[in-house]
Amino acid sequence: MQINWTAFSIFIIFFLFVAVLGFVAARWRRGDLSHLEEWGLAGRRFGTLITWFLVGGDLYTAYTFIAVPGLMYGKGALGFYAVPYTTVVYPIFLLILPRFWSVARAKGYVTASDFVQGRYGDRLLSFAVALTGIVATIPYIALQLTGMQAVITAMGIPGSWPLIIAFIILALFAYTSGLRAPAMIAIVKDLMIYITIIVAVILIPIKLGGFGHIFHASAAALAKHHPPGSIALSPKLYATYGTLALGSALALFLYPHAVTGVFSASSRRVVKRNMALLPAYSFALGIIALLGYMALAAGVHTKSSSEAVPLLFLKEFPTWFAGFGFAAIGIGALVPAAIMSIASANLFTRNIYKAFFVRNASNEHEARVAKIVSLIIILLALVFILGFPQQYAISMQQVGGILILQTLPTVVFGLFTRWFHRRGLFLGWLVGIVLGILMWASTGYQSTSYTVGGVTAYAGIWALIVNIVVALVLSGIFQAMGLSNGEDETTPADYRVDAEASV
């Protein structure tokens, strides 16, 4: 394949622009970046607008542009589960995140594991939540690499060196500027994505003869796939579709990067406003998902579903605008990958390194370790993407979801009650993790769905149900035995704390 120099040149211009922004961001809303709270949470000073861009840029990623339409292109209607999942997630977490933000602000918590340690006084349970967050995030970062890799391949660039260079730059500006870098870049990224979506939803249907033709042609193309797909969901997939949507929704704000974005807000009211405003991204996601059908209708042929949208752009857009769209996807990979690496580094430093190795680490020592670990996390994600066997990039997010869902009883239930026993929660987590991995392994690591009693559903939900049952039963037993449930350093007032919103 020849290099498409026009598209590549436009891509490079925008990529270099945001790279410069990433380094300049260290001086934006200046703070002491030698302290973890400043480097990893930007001093908790982001108001409604910046938080909206940051959390939106954090959650709507290369996953949005590559993986979701890729699944629509390969399997049809099943891929649309991402739209209801990103719709129901906000009313659910409107009840949870303001309370989470308040207790984190009151006690100076930087991570979800900080809260677990404070709530239960249990380093082992805190460690379990931290380790799960880090491991679940690595495939999510790898998913961003898949998006970057797809556009690089579409432009005809040979080898992996452009991907490696891009993520070296990412690692350096994350190291230098901390959370301020992805927050600043997210503004540019989101504007570019919205421009690309608006042009795509107007131009491509006009060129393809309208949505009626798109649906008809994509239905015919899906019927020829092996196994066949469909634009209408088969009844036998109802349980899979519903549990994928529910499981993904419950998991979304348990991920370390989502927690980091929320904790960086300046007030409880900012968090509430964002739960009301973020569904605007879900509307855009619904349109983006249809790009998979547009690729089928346009006659795009590829063995890798991740390449469907880039090839569609090359076929239907002017070359220069395809380059602009590729830049939007590429930058859409950088923003969340930076936040994910920072969030994972926060977890490792606070809840593993400091908790078990250097308990008296200074603020400067903490920040220095976190910066180094953020580089290592990105390196691990690069290794992961080279060896991951899945055809559909979205499977990476689903695998991470299986793991992170098992922290829900400890974190979410813990925000509202102390009834659950810390040992019951730990053993429930352990059973859920092992069971979820075994379900995935039983499919030859090819599917995150598992059949129980004739019902095929998302393995993360099956594992979570068992997790909760184990935690319930064992908590009752341990309480009856009079086993200590640890010390709770939080007070009821901590869960209602607010602060003045930043401009």
Side-chain angles (χ1 to χ4, degrees):
M1 181 184 290
Q2 291 186 336
I3 296 176
N4 189 321
W5 287 107
T6 301
F8 184 57
S9 299
I10 299 295
F11 178 87
I12 289 295
I13 289 170
F14 281 98
F15 191 87
L16 291 177
F17 173 66
V18 298
V20 171
L21 281 184
F23 290 105
V24 170
R27 303 177 184 177
W28 178 45
R29 300 196 174 197
R30 187 183 296 272
D32 187 354
L33 294 178
S34 65
H35 286 231
L36 189 62
E37 190 162 317
E38 285 289 344
W39 180 80
L41 289 182
R44 306 180 198 262
R45 291 198 293 272
F46 291 147
T48 301
L49 185 63
I50 300 301
T51 302
W52 186 75
F53 279 115
L54 176 65
V55 177
D58 187 3
L59 303 181
Y60 296 85
T61 64
Y63 156 86
T64 305
F65 249 118
I66 296 296
V68 174
L71 192 57
M72 299 281 284
Y73 175 88
K75 292 190 174 182
L78 181 64
F80 214 70
Y81 86 88
V83 178
Y85 123 53
T86 57
T87 302
V88 302
V89 65
Y90 299 113
I92 293 172
F93 279 92
L94 178 61
L95 303 175
I96 298 168
L97 293 180
R99 189 174 177 86
F100 204 6
W101 181 92
S102 290
V103 70
R105 180 61 175 258
K107 294 300 182 183
Y109 298 149
V110 174
T111 68
S113 291
D114 282 351
F115 164 72
V116 172
Q117 173 64 40
R119 185 64 155 159
Y120 296 99
D122 192 314
R123 286 192 300 155
L124 181 62
L125 188 58
S126 174
F127 170 81
V129 172
L131 182 63
T132 306
I134 293 170
V135 174
T137 300
I138 290 174
Y140 220 152
I141 300 175
L143 175 55
Q144 313 315 315
L145 301 183
T146 300
M148 181 74 76
Q149 192 175 50
V151 298
I152 289 172
T153 301
M155 290 184 291
I157 310 300
S160 299
W161 63 268
L163 185 65
I164 295 171
I165 291 174
F167 277 82
I168 288 174
I169 294 172
L170 158 68
L172 291 176
F173 71 60
Y175 181 97
T176 303
S177 304
L179 194 64
R180 288 169 171 81
M184 180 176 282
I185 295 171
I187 299 172
V188 177
K189 168 251 183 187
D190 285 357
L191 292 174
M192 292 179 67
I193 282 181
Y194 272 107
I195 291 171
T196 304
I197 292 170
I198 291 169
V199 172
V201 78
I202 295 172
L203 180 63
I204 297 178
I206 290 174
K207 295 185 70 174
L208 295 179
F211 279 103
H213 175 73
I214 289 171
F215 288 128
H216 178 78
S218 58
L222 284 166
K224 298 177 182 178
H225 285 192
H226 301 286
S230 172
I231 64 170
L233 194 66
S234 166
K236 67 180 181 180
L237 293 176
Y238 286 173
T240 303
Y241 183 92
T243 52
L244 273 172
L246 177 61
S248 299
L250 293 176
L252 187 59
F253 279 100
L254 294 172
Y255 279 102
H257 55 281
V259 172
T260 296
V262 171
F263 282 4
S264 69
S266 61
S267 77
R268 182 185 178 106
R269 284 166 291 171
V270 166
V271 176
K272 288 182 177 180
R273 290 187 197 116
N274 270 273
M275 291 303 100
L277 294 171
L278 280 167
Y281 282 96
S282 300
F283 174 77
L285 177 58
I287 297 172
I288 291 171
L290 294 178
L291 292 175
Y293 288 169
M294 293 181 196
L296 288 167
V300 170
H301 297 287
T302 174
K303 294 181 179 179
S304 172
S305 61
S306 297
E307 296 177 6
V309 170
L311 292 176
L312 173 69
F313 284 3
L314 280 175
K315 187 170 185 178
E316 302 298 334
F317 285 156
T319 305
W320 67 270
F321 192 78
F324 180 88
F326 292 161
I329 296 172
I331 296 166
L334 287 185
V335 171
I339 305 171
M340 290 170 191
S341 67
I342 291 167
S344 298
N346 290 345
L347 277 171
F348 177 86
T349 303
R350 271 292 181 93
N351 308 115
I352 298 178
Y353 180 79
K354 188 174 182 179
F356 292 94
F357 299 103
V358 186
R359 297 191 186 182
N360 61 348
S362 65
N363 290 330
E364 291 76 11
H365 189 162
E366 269 190 326
R368 187 163 57 252
V369 171
K371 291 176 182 180
I372 294 171
V373 171
S374 71
L375 303 179
I376 296 172
I377 292 293
I378 292 173
L379 176 62
L380 289 174
L382 278 167
V383 172
F384 186 94
I385 190 63
L386 294 177
F388 197 80
Q390 294 284 343
Q391 176 188 1
Y392 297 104
I394 203 166
S395 297
M396 298 181 191
Q397 183 262 352
Q398 294 170 1
V399 171
I402 292 174
L403 301 179
I404 204 68
L405 267 176
Q406 308 317 311
T407 67
L408 186 148
T410 300
V411 176
V412 175
F413 294 175
L415 284 168
F416 295 92
T417 179
R418 272 269 294 173
W419 183 86
F420 287 87
H421 195 281
R422 56 181 178 154
R423 294 291 178 248
L425 288 168
F426 176 78
L427 291 172
W429 165 85
L430 183 60
V431 170
I433 290 288
V434 172
L435 187 60
I437 293 174
L438 288 176
M439 288 179 181
W440 180 44
S442 71
T443 69
Y445 306 102
Q446 296 300 308
S447 173
T448 54
S449 298
Y450 190 79
T451 303
V452 176
V455 178
T456 302
Y458 181 38
I461 289 293
W462 290 129
L464 178 62
I465 291 170
V466 176
N467 178 347
I468 293 172
V469 170
V470 170
L472 276 169
V473 173
L474 293 183
S475 291
I477 293 172
F478 293 152
Q479 287 176 7
M481 293 171 61
L483 295 183
S484 170
N485 201 17
E487 296 290 331
D488 182 6
E489 71 176 22
T490 69
T491 67
D494 293 334
Y495 296 87
R496 298 189 296 272
V497 165
D498 202 352
E500 290 300 320
S502 297
V503 177

